[in-house]
Amino acid sequence: MNIMKNRLIPLIFILYCFVCMSQNETNIWYFGQNAGLDFNGDSPAAIMDGRLNTGEGCASISDTDGNLLFYTDGVTVYNKNHQTMPDSEGLNGDFSSTHSAIIIPKPKSADIYYIFTADAKGGENGLQYSEIDMALGSGLGGITDNKNIPLHPLITEKLTAVKHATLEEYWVISHRYGTNQFLTFRVSENGVDINPIISGVGSTVEITPDRLNTTGQIKISPNGKKLAVARTADAEVQLFDFNASTGEVTNPITLSSSHGAYGIEFSPNNQILYVNAGLLYQYDLSSSIPSNIIDSELAILDPFSLDNVNTGLGALQLASNGKIYLAQWDSPYLHIINEPNNLGLDCNFELKALFLGGSLSKLGLPPFIQSFFNVGFQANNICEDNATQFTTNISQPYENIIWDFGDGNTSTEENPLHTYNDPGIYDVSLTITSGADNSVEIKTITIYEQPIVSPIVKLGQCDDDLDGFSTFNLNEVIPEITTNYSNETITFYEFEIDAINGNNAISNTIGYRNETASLDLIWARVENNNGCFETSQINLEISTTQIPNTFVREFYQCDNGIDITDGIASFDFSSVPNEIQELFPIEQQLIINFYRNQL
């Protein structure tokens, strides 16, 4: 028992430390010309105490509470007091490298961090790493003897990182210059494995005299399943699958072979890729079919909207608030994609949205371990009286989970369904507990009202050839279904399930012919501008009432009244209704009356 206890105690401690890694580590940015941002408040605040003056590369890291630890341009490291960290000058990155540095914490260690550096333009220093020990310098940190440790001599300016799929480890990915090889390095409790996993896939980046084709960002999606690269001089954007269990890169898709892209970033929900190539492009990654992804390309920024300055757009970087920021050379502002999980213009791109307090942006923004952003949740189907699906983005183990839906209801399920009975604005919170650590994510969601429709309506049509079939103009019934049709989209379907799913709509709405004689049934889908919908049943009724001219019945009757000479007699027409009914379809219900004359 004592042996088991001795083993159990450090295991619990290790789990706690690793789970604590969350978005707060990304909350302090330093970049550009003395520019900085603090994301610890309700909205990002400009900070101007940083010492970086870098054209591109930069990196920073904070603790689990969002307090700055240190930052670097890949050459010099500055501690939280903005002092040069002892022995930290002379790192072999380059301030002019797209990703001059990225910072990785050593798993199962409270003090050790690794700074991976990339030289500019495939320079001879290549890919190296240096070790930071935060226990040095009276807790302000310092470089250990493991400084400028070479990993590969010839790489492009690309560095990104993500958590291992199941283990308490990280992957750091770069690209070997002059080849099509991705280099994936494992960072574990044992340190940095200098033997990379090599994936020869995608385009070969040829060595050129000017070496400008080394530039452009590389990113992995927050869930660790996709990898994308922007190759500026080669005018190419490629997307790959990434295996966060093995470190392998596979399945290349060339999204564009004409965009000189620099910045690249994934949406928090991993479903959208953004590419800065002068214009800002968006790709929908929800399809598994490569051609669909390629064809989804949409430009959401016209370069001429940048006050006629259509050059100098730089890095794209996801932040802990779920927004994506876009740098521009010598600009006192950053541009923002406010709702990057939304397709099209609904992503809410905003020019000059964040003032840097007088400092200037350059091309670069600090990269982070992308799985830091794989926390929080999404809400799909935000309509009243319909089940809203809540989905977590939790990449770490946890002990307890509590949802507060903002309407007095809670749940302990990981991905719950919840129905709001009333439209409105709700503050939804997700609390995740592991050991003594609580992580709370709060989002404000809007629940929209449903369209008001008549559940069953009737559309009648006369038939002139006795077969029970006719041609309907379905649009005629719209005012009977909804009174707000001018602000709604109404489509028609032959089956209720198609109306619910929005599949196989009736294309000819002004010339629809019923498929069942005399009485048929179709469905309408009424959808408002918020994507909420209701369905309505439409009964198509065909009135077949024209008796053929050839239908003649003659009745003869002897004068049988009191006066048998007055020419008046009683006639029995009771057999005629059945004969007339037999002329019409069985489903046709008729009311038959007799009159003295046709008028």
Side-chain angles (χ1 to χ4, degrees), residues 60-82:
S60 60
I61 192 74
S62 301
D63 63 20
T64 56
D65 293 322
N67 300 309
L68 176 68
L69 291 176
F70 58 91
Y71 59 100
T72 181
D73 58 0
V75 178
T76 304
V77 183
Y78 300 94
N79 64 26
K80 66 180 181 181
N81 294 331
H82 311 289

Side-chain angles (χ1 to χ4, degrees), residues 402-411 420 427-431:
I402 299 176
W403 292 87
D404 185 333
F405 298 115
D407 63 350
N409 294 289
T410 61
S411 174
Y420 289 91
D427 291 326
V428 180
S429 67
L430 170 63
T431 302

Side-chain angles (χ1 to χ4, degrees), residues 341-490:
N341 288 336
N342 294 340
L343 288 169
L345 298 181
D346 288 341
C347 72
N348 189 15
F349 179 78
E350 187 178 2
L351 285 169
K352 298 182 178 180
L354 181 55
F355 181 56
L356 297 176
S359 299
L360 295 178
S361 165
K362 296 295 184 178
L363 290 182
L365 293 173
F368 298 94
I369 298 170
Q370 288 292 93
S371 46
F372 280 161
F373 303 108
N374 198 36
V375 298
F377 62 90
Q378 286 85 44
N380 295 316
N381 190 17
I382 47 178
C383 302
E384 66 169 321
D385 296 329
N386 281 348
T388 299
Q389 176 70 67
F390 289 91
T391 305
T392 59
N393 288 332
I394 306 172
S395 61
Q396 317 283 7
Y398 64 87
E399 295 172 3
N400 296 303
I401 185 170
I402 299 176
W403 292 87
D404 185 333
F405 298 115
D407 63 350
N409 294 289
T410 61
S411 174
T412 57
E413 297 181 15
E414 184 169 328
N415 298 305
L417 288 168
H418 178 65
T419 300
Y420 289 91
N421 296 322
D422 298 297
I425 298 174
Y426 297 89
D427 291 326
V428 180
S429 67
L430 170 63
T431 302
I432 302 167
T433 303
S434 181
D437 186 58
N438 284 335
S439 173
V440 180
E441 177 84 3
I442 300 175
K443 290 185 179 181
T444 300
I445 67 171
T446 301
I447 299 298
Y448 297 101
E449 61 183 359
Q450 294 282 89
I452 300 174
V453 304
S454 299
I456 301 177
V457 296
K458 179 179 71 173
L459 180 60
Q461 183 75 27
C462 293
D463 180 22
D464 57 4
D465 59 6
L466 303 181
D467 63 354
F469 294 90
S470 189
T471 300
F472 289 82
N473 181 353
L474 302 182
N475 297 329
E476 293 177 352
V477 79
I478 289 177
E480 303 297 324
I481 299 172
T482 171
T483 59
N484 193 33
Y485 55 85
S486 61
N487 297 313
E488 297 166 330
T489 301
I490 295 91

Side-chain angles (χ1 to χ4, degrees), residues 137-245:
S138 301
L140 294 176
I143 296 282
T144 71
D145 291 337
N146 294 320
K147 180 179 179 181
N148 292 330
I149 307 299
L151 291 173
H152 199 280
L154 195 63
I155 64 165
T156 60
E157 300 178 1
K158 288 175 170 54
L159 282 175
T160 189
V162 73
K163 179 187 173 293
H164 190 285
T166 57
L167 302 178
E168 298 179 25
E169 299 177 352
Y170 296 101
W171 300 111
V172 177
I173 301 93
S174 186
H175 195 277
R176 184 181 179 188
Y177 196 25
T179 74
N180 69 339
Q181 295 176 353
F182 287 93
L183 307 175
T184 304
F185 294 87
R186 182 192 297 264
V187 181
S188 70
E189 61 182 304
N190 299 317
V192 178
D193 187 345
I194 64 173
N195 299 303
I197 295 162
I198 300 175
S199 302
V201 64
S203 297
T204 295
V205 183
E206 302 287 353
I207 297 177
T208 62
D210 60 13
R211 299 196 172 197
L212 291 177
N213 59 348
T214 59
T215 62
Q217 286 187 292
I218 180 175
K219 288 292 179 68
I220 292 181
S221 60
N223 64 4
K225 294 183 178 181
K226 295 289 185 181
L227 180 146
V229 292
R231 298 184 175 117
T232 310
D234 286 343
E236 183 179 68
V237 179
Q238 287 195 310
L239 177 72
F240 304 82
D241 288 336
F242 184 76
N243 188 325
S245 294

Side-chain angles (χ1 to χ4, degrees), residues 280-355:
L280 183 60
Y281 294 97
Q282 182 191 75
Y283 294 89
D284 182 358
L285 308 183
S286 61
S287 175
S288 60
I289 301 173
S291 60
N292 289 348
I293 298 175
I294 296 169
D295 293 342
S296 72
E297 178 188 287
L298 178 67
I300 58 174
L301 166 63
D302 182 341
F304 294 104
S305 62
L306 290 170
D307 296 332
N308 295 320
V309 180
N310 56 12
T311 59
L313 291 179
L316 287 163
Q317 180 58 50
L318 179 61
S320 58
N321 60 5
K323 300 181 180 184
I324 294 176
Y325 293 79
L326 172 59
Q328 185 177 359
W329 183 266
D330 273 351
S331 173
Y333 297 90
L334 292 184
H335 315 300
I336 303 178
I337 306 171
N338 286 288
E339 299 177 76
N341 288 336
N342 294 340
L343 288 169
L345 298 181
D346 288 341
C347 72
N348 189 15
F349 179 78
E350 187 178 2
L351 285 169
K352 298 182 178 180
L354 181 55
F355 181 56

